Amino acid sequence: MKAVFDLHARAARFAEDQADWLLPTLARLVFAAVLAGYFWASALTKLDGPFTPSLGAYAQIFPKVFEAAGYDVGQMGLWHRLVVLAGAWAEFVLPVLILLGLFTRVAAIGMAGFVVVQSLTDIWGHGAASGALFDRASDALILDQRAFWMLLLAVLILKGAGPISADRLLGVERTRLAA
């Protein structure tokens, strides 16, 4: 029985030793495979030009305000325009930074904030069903899905970009493995 416990302890130590490089590397790979294209496609729907928000952007980001304005962009203020532009550009820039592994922790914090705002807009602005955590149904589009997104971003916030990254190349982030 002692041999089984020793084998388990060695396997656990090996897994822990790999966590610092493997978890962030896998998190960025999963982000690239699952979320980067989603956010990029979403950003493309928000701009008619680099500094020209689309009508759909106002409808996506400020659904109730845009409806109250009669879907007339001229009724929307400078604040609304700046928020739409910032949101669209965040959907372009933050995923690219994560993919490159450049300023990854800051980009992941920004993406986490973006996901929170996006989720609240979907639930209260668009009236989407939020679902419920711990309800045994794993397919709620808002809470269940976005909880996984936030977990992935939390790995990047806590662990950084990993060894194959611009952060590591530029010395922005030092590895604990080298210490």
Side-chain angles (χ1 to χ4, degrees):
M1 195 62 160
K2 181 179 176 346
V4 171
F5 288 126
D6 288 344
L7 178 63
H8 178 270
R10 282 195 310 274
R13 271 193 307 277
F14 177 78
E16 287 176 17
D17 290 344
Q18 307 315 306
D20 284 338
W21 73 269
L22 187 58
L23 280 176
T25 302
L26 290 176
R28 285 184 42 235
L29 182 63
V30 169
F31 183 88
V34 177
L35 293 177
Y38 166 82
F39 284 111
W40 192 269
S42 176
L44 287 172
T45 68
K46 291 181 176 73
L47 296 175
D48 287 335
F51 302 105
T52 308
S54 68
L55 291 177
Y58 289 101
Q60 289 176 49
I61 297 173
F62 294 109
K64 292 181 178 179
V65 174
F66 196 43
E67 181 181 8
Y71 300 103
D72 178 9
V73 175
Q75 299 296 315
M76 304 298 282
L78 177 62
W79 167 253
H80 298 102
R81 180 182 174 87
L82 293 175
V83 169
V84 167
L85 286 172
W89 278 102
E91 280 187 296
F92 280 122
V93 173
L94 295 175
V96 168
L97 291 175
I98 289 173
L99 293 176
L100 294 173
L102 181 61
F103 305 115
T104 307
R105 292 176 196 263
V106 173
I109 289 169
M111 285 301 310
F114 189 95
V115 169
V116 168
V117 171
Q118 174 190 27
S119 300
L120 293 173
T121 301
D122 288 344
I123 293 167
W124 284 303
H126 295 286
S130 64
L133 295 172
F134 309 108
D135 64 355
R136 296 183 326 172
S138 64
D139 60 350
L141 292 177
I142 305 297
L143 289 181
D144 289 341
Q145 182 183 75
R146 307 240 172 114
F148 279 112
W149 296 5
M150 294 299 273
L151 176 63
L152 183 142
L153 293 168
V155 168
L156 295 173
I157 292 166
L158 297 173
K159 291 285 190 183
I164 305 168
S165 66
D167 284 345
R168 189 65 51 84
L169 184 67
L170 298 172
V172 172
E173 190 173 293
R174 302 279 185 241
T175 178
R176 287 190 328 171
L177 297 174

